[in-house]
């Protein structure tokens, strides 16, 4: 959506900050995903709910027929409320509570992605108590690094996620002995905001090796979940507003040896581009050497710049004045409450509306009430 396409008039009367979601772009994105996997009827794309649990956004994604990837009982309930079929829900996470496991079992979710043998035992016991069976896959820690921000890689041997690939066989054999567990497959996830397709090729190679090794030892795997992680172009939100799904799915078509059903768990690439945080300039302040544009939005609505030093493109929707440099900051009492330094914007005045782009993923869903601030509103346009 280019600057002139935002419904500026309707924004003026709204309380800021709020998230604006471009429904047409989300629909186009979901259609591209559908087309990209249309030749693989047994591939299943799940939406990683953690990226954005806004009920309207979730409902649009459920209506498009995707499954849901959840990491808490709250997300499982939100997914069911939004219309995702329980059989299409997968539930991951290193620390599932007993009540969350019970909720998943009672709802009849499609899969528990289990991250330790201790958790497997608890799921077996709870399923036994409820008189049902649990469909289980194991999350494998593939020890594959991804070329992305250090705090969002998850597939390295040192981190807390999954079971190391050398220990998987032992876990599967335990699952096969437990009376209330049905073992299905392997689950992987190497990180987020990955734009270098060779990282996904490395993941495919690891998966191929894992399956071959298990099959050689007489263990049959029934499906594979390759996780999520496809990145988007934060620098140029108007240039390629739909993520590179063609190239991404092609990697798996070309590099996975197996013909087993494959599951995906995409979050950011589905929803980041369609979301914009709309905020007002409260004050323009002359510093000694620079100018500050002080917004009414802060790290409590969008924490990514403060937390990861993440870049989000910004535009002054209200002004065509000369381009000027600003440090764009929020009102929260933290020195990291900065959206960008030396940002070039059309000249800012009090009351101007500023668009912070590509904020549909890990924006609203990571909002907090720090400093007793209100959670942001949202508008789906
Ligand atoms: N599957 C698993 C097991 C995950 O841990 C994640 C994300 C996904 C799927 C979805 O990944 P995506 O397609 O969105 O890359 N808050 C950070 C991102 C954290 C990602 C956590 N896991 C950010 O704002 O960049």
């Amino acid at each position: 959506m280019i600057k002139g396409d935002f419904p500026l008039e309707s924004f003026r009367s709204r309380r800021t900050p709020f998230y604006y979601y471009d429904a047409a772009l989300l629909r186009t994105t979901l259609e591209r995903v559908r087309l990209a996997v249309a030749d693989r009827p047994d591939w299943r794309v799940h939406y990683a709910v953690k990226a954005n649990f806004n009920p309207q956004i979730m409902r649009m994604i459920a209506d498009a027929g995707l499954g849901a990837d959840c990491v808490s009982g709250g997300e499982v309930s939100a997914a069911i409320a939004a219309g995702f079929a329980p059989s299409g829900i997968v539930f991951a996470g290193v620390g599932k509570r007993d009540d969350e496991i019970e909720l998943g079992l009672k709802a009849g979710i499609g899969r528990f992605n289990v991250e330790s043998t201790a958790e497997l035992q608890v799921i077996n016991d709870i399923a036994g108590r409820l008189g049902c069976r649990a469909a289980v896959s194991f999350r494998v820690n593939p020890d594959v690094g991804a070329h992305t921000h250090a705090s969002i890689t998850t597939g390295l041997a040192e981190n807390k996620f999954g079971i190391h690939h050398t220990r998987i066989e032992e876990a599967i054999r335990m699952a096969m002995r437990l009376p209330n567990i049905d073992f299905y497959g392997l689950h992987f996830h190497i990180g987020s905001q990955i734009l270098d397709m060779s990282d996904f090729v490395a993941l495919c190679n690891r998966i191929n090796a894992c399956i071959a090794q298990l099959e050689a030892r007489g263990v049959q795997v029934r499906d594979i979940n390759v996780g999520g992680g496809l990145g988007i172009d934060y620098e140029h939100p108007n240039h390629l507003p739909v993520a590179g799904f063609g190239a991404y799915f092609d990697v798996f078509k070309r590099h996975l040896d197996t013909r087993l059903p494959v599951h995906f768990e995409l979050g950011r690439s589905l929803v980041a581009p369609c979301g914009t945080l709309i905020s007002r300039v409260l004050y323009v302040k002359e510093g000694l050497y620079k100018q500050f544009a002080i917004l009414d939005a802060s790290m409590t609505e969008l924490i990514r710049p403060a937390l990861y030093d993440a870049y989000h493109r910004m535009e002054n929707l209200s002004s065509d004045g000369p381009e000027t440099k600003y440090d764009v900051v929020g009102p929260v009492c933290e020195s990291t409450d900065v959206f960008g330094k030396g940002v070039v914007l059309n000249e800012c005045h009090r009351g101007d509306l500023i668009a912070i782009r590509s904020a549909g993923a890990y924006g609203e869903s990571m909002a907090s009430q720090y400093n007793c601030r209100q959670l942001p509103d949202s508008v789906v346009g």
Side-chain angles (χ1 to χ4, degrees):
M1 182 169 263
I2 56 171
K3 189 166 151 174
D5 290 345
F6 283 96
L8 196 56
E9 281 317 308
S10 74
F11 286 179
R12 284 195 216 280
S13 55
R14 287 195 174 273
R15 185 176 71 89
T16 46
F18 64 89
Y19 275 94
Y20 174 74
Y21 296 108
D22 177 351
L25 177 56
L26 179 55
R27 272 192 213 99
T28 306
T29 303
L30 294 167
E31 179 59 11
R32 292 269 186 92
V33 170
R34 192 186 67 75
L35 291 173
V37 295
D39 58 338
R40 299 294 171 111
D42 55 356
W43 281 17
R44 184 87 211 240
V45 181
H46 300 265
Y47 167 56
V49 172
K50 63 176 83 67
N52 190 320
F53 51 83
N54 180 296
Q56 281 176 276
I57 298 295
M58 283 180 72
R59 184 160 290 280
M60 285 175 69
I61 298 173
D63 288 349
L66 276 73
D69 159 38
C70 301
V71 289
S72 70
E75 286 192 356
V76 171
S77 300
I80 293 171
F84 288 92
S87 60
I89 294 178
V90 298
F91 184 6
V94 291
K96 301 178 188 76
R97 290 194 315 258
D98 293 22
D99 64 297
E100 295 176 305
I101 294 169
E102 188 165 331
L103 183 142
L105 286 169
K106 284 184 174 160
I109 63 166
R111 197 66 53 87
F112 287 87
N113 287 324
V114 171
E115 307 222 12
S116 65
T117 48
E119 178 195 334
L120 180 72
Q121 185 68 58
V122 172
I123 294 177
N124 176 69
D125 295 349
I126 296 177
R129 175 161 54 74
L130 296 177
C132 62
R133 302 181 66 77
V136 156
S137 289
F138 284 109
R139 178 159 179 187
V140 183
N141 190 319
D143 207 1
V144 170
H147 296 97
T148 183
H149 193 289
S151 43
I152 52 179
T153 62
T154 46
L156 285 172
E158 291 85 359
N159 68 40
K160 67 179 176 179
F161 299 103
I163 299 173
H164 195 259
H165 59 95
T166 54
R167 301 237 166 114
I168 277 295
E169 184 185 340
E170 195 182 312
I172 296 174
R173 296 213 182 271
M174 175 175 166
M176 286 169 161
R177 284 195 303 271
L178 289 172
N180 310 309
I181 298 288
D182 291 321
F183 167 72
Y184 277 85
L186 303 180
H187 172 227
F188 300 80
H189 175 73
I190 54 171
S192 199
Q193 183 51 18
I194 298 169
L195 289 166
D196 184 342
M197 292 301 118
S198 67
D199 290 337
F200 293 117
V201 174
L203 171 62
C204 290
N205 294 338
R206 172 66 78 205
I207 294 173
N208 292 337
C210 246
I211 295 177
Q213 226 166 11
L214 288 170
E215 284 181 353
R217 311 228 346 128
V219 178
Q220 285 304 318
V221 172
R222 288 194 263 176
D223 60 27
I224 295 293
N225 182 328
V226 300
L230 175 63
I232 63 145
D233 186 350
Y234 281 97
E235 308 271 336
H236 307 105
N238 301 326
H239 175 50
L240 289 173
V242 178
F245 296 111
Y248 170 74
F249 287 114
D250 269 357
V251 167
F252 296 95
K253 288 179 190 173
R254 289 176 40 212
H255 294 274
L256 275 183
D257 290 342
T258 173
R259 280 276 159 177
L260 292 172
V262 181
H263 294 199
F264 297 83
E265 298 172 341
L266 296 174
R268 184 190 319 266
S269 53
L270 297 177
V271 292
C274 75
T276 302
L277 179 60
I278 305 289
S279 152
R280 272 193 176 80
V281 176
L282 288 174
Y283 305 104
V284 176
K285 173 161 131 176
E286 295 290 335
L288 210 48
Y289 304 109
K290 48 182 164 186
Q291 295 198 84
F292 295 92
I294 301 171
L295 307 186
D296 60 4
S298 75
M299 63 193 284
T300 65
E301 290 78 36
L302 179 65
I303 201 172
R304 303 192 68 256
L307 198 56
Y308 315 117
D309 220 3
Y311 172 83
H312 286 263
R313 193 181 147 85
M314 282 172 265
E315 289 157 3
N316 184 343
L317 299 181
S318 312
S319 161
D320 286 319
E323 292 190 330
T324 310
K325 269 192 185 170
Y326 300 93
D327 278 14
V328 182
V329 303
V332 159
C333 299
E334 295 281 341
S335 45
T336 55
D337 186 23
V338 175
F339 288 111
K341 291 189 173 166
V343 180
V344 176
L345 293 173
N346 293 111
E347 197 172 54
C348 290
H349 301 278
R350 175 171 167 81
D352 283 356
L353 289 164
I354 304 294
I356 306 178
R357 305 289 308 273
S358 315
Y362 308 111
E364 193 179 354
S365 67
M366 294 179 81
S368 78
Q369 292 196 291
Y370 184 47
N371 283 191
C372 281
R373 289 172 60 83
Q374 284 187 35
L375 289 173
D377 287 340
S378 64
V379 179
V380 179

